[in-house]
Amino acid sequence: MKPIKKQSFVRMKSFFHYSALIIFTLILFGCDSWEQESGKKDSSLTFFAKPEKDKLPYFRGKDLEAFWSEQGDLPEEVRMVDAFSFQNQLDQNIKETHLKDKITIVSFFFAKCHGICPSIIRNLKFVQSAYGKEPKVQIVSYSVTPDLDTPFELKKFGEEKGIWPQKWSLLTGDREKIFRLARNTFQADTNTTNKDSVKDFVHSEQIFLIDENLRFRGIYNGNRGESVKIMIDDIKLLLKEKPLPLN
């Protein structure tokens, strides 16, 4: 029996990663959302979207439902990064246009975090190293304590962690706007008890892969090295991909 090549093995892991994502979505949301009040199937839901080998999904809906384009075009409701304007660690203004024509990995953090942040930062540094010489790949991390994480503090944090500012933007700005983007666009807030929804934000472990047209293409666990390794390989697929137009 011939051994499975490493590249093929990684592709298989990525394939099952998204298959599991579809199954999880079905279990989590299917019972409540599959039928409308009339008892009929909601035709807007496609939980049984079939994963396609060597192709990354798109996402849509409030629950970030993964789907694969079957006809070579995309629906208007495909999830995209909303408009924003914040400052990076070099005190430069960064807008959503900064993501255009780039492949971007998005995460949420704060400089004083001693929980999952150090692990996520450490794993993202593998991405920084893997694509350090690829100008089309970048990382963007939003601070969820922007009142404390000024550009000066973020610059110091980045230097301490070995973050390259030309490759990895640490963003700060208006607290309410960052929270709105994190919750409404990325669903990156973790529900906990005794939390003030206006003042408090507990970010999840999720990191997001965004394509050159600001479309969501992957969701991973930034706290798990194996998940980040899958993302590193998925980036290779995006680098080879021809972007699809919206309908």
Side-chain angles (χ1 to χ4, degrees):
M1 180 180 295
K2 294 182 179 180
I4 298 175
K5 293 183 179 180
K6 181 178 180 182
Q7 184 178 6
S8 299
F9 180 66
V10 172
R11 294 271 59 79
M12 289 172 61
K13 289 194 294 181
S14 181
F15 179 81
F16 288 117
H17 168 83
Y18 287 111
S19 298
L21 180 63
I22 295 295
I23 294 171
F24 174 77
T25 305
L26 173 61
I27 294 172
L28 186 61
F29 301 109
C31 295
D32 294 331
S33 304
W34 185 248
E35 294 185 356
Q36 299 175 336
E37 291 182 359
S38 64
K40 296 180 179 180
K41 175 183 172 183
D42 183 349
S43 61
S44 68
L45 300 179
T46 58
F47 291 120
F48 293 106
K50 183 179 179 181
E52 296 184 31
K53 185 179 179 181
D54 293 333
K55 288 186 179 181
L56 299 185
Y58 295 86
F59 294 80
R60 64 182 175 188
K62 65 178 182 179
D63 300 319
L64 292 177
E65 171 202 358
F67 71 96
W68 281 256
S69 175
E70 297 179 354
Q71 299 178 350
D73 50 23
L74 296 170
E76 292 183 359
E77 66 267 24
V78 63
R79 179 58 65 92
M80 300 176 65
V81 177
D82 292 323
F84 66 85
S85 181
F86 301 121
Q87 287 72 48
N88 68 4
Q89 67 266 48
L90 302 180
D91 205 17
Q92 299 169 331
N93 195 46
I94 302 295
K95 298 184 178 181
E96 78 283 354
T97 52
H98 182 71
L99 280 59
K100 183 68 176 174
D101 298 323
K102 298 275 190 177
I103 294 170
T104 306
I105 299 90
V106 170
S107 72
F108 293 86
F109 81 111
F110 58 101
K112 300 297 182 181
C113 173
H114 298 290
I116 62 175
C117 296
S119 177
I120 294 175
I121 294 292
R122 185 165 54 251
N123 285 333
L124 287 178
K125 285 186 67 178
F126 288 114
V127 182
Q128 177 179 258
S129 297
Y131 291 99
K133 296 182 179 180
E134 173 52 67
K136 199 172 181 179
V137 177
Q138 64 180 355
I139 306 171
V140 172
S141 297
Y142 300 86
S143 169
V144 297
T145 58
D147 298 338
L148 299 175
D149 291 339
T150 63
F152 175 79
E153 291 297 328
L154 291 180
K155 185 174 184 293
K156 183 169 66 173
F157 173 83
E159 291 172 348
E160 292 173 353
K161 300 299 182 182
I163 290 173
W164 307 336
Q166 71 276 16
K167 175 63 66 174
W168 190 339
S169 295
L170 306 175
L171 301 187
T172 186
D174 183 89
R175 172 192 288 263
E176 183 176 341
K177 292 179 180 179
I178 290 179
F179 281 15
R180 187 184 306 123
L181 183 75
R183 287 172 174 148
N184 297 344
T185 300
F186 292 94
Q187 273 77 55
D189 194 7
T190 299
N191 293 323
T192 61
T193 58
N194 302 320
K195 184 182 71 172
D196 187 318
S197 61
V198 177
K199 297 180 180 179
D200 299 330
F201 185 96
V202 181
H203 69 89
S204 70
E205 301 172 335
Q206 291 179 326
I207 56 178
F208 306 85
L209 183 59
I210 310 299
D211 71 16
E212 60 186 63
N213 287 313
L214 282 68
R215 300 163 180 161
F216 280 54
R217 302 303 304 277
I219 302 174
Y220 310 84
N221 188 327
N223 198 33
R224 297 183 60 183
E226 191 66 23
S227 185
V228 174
K229 288 178 182 177
I230 291 173
M231 182 185 69
I232 287 174
D233 282 286
D234 286 348
I235 292 172
K236 297 175 183 177
L237 296 179
L238 283 188
L239 287 170
K240 298 176 182 178
E241 182 182 88
K242 181 179 179 181
L244 292 178
L246 289 172
N247 274 348

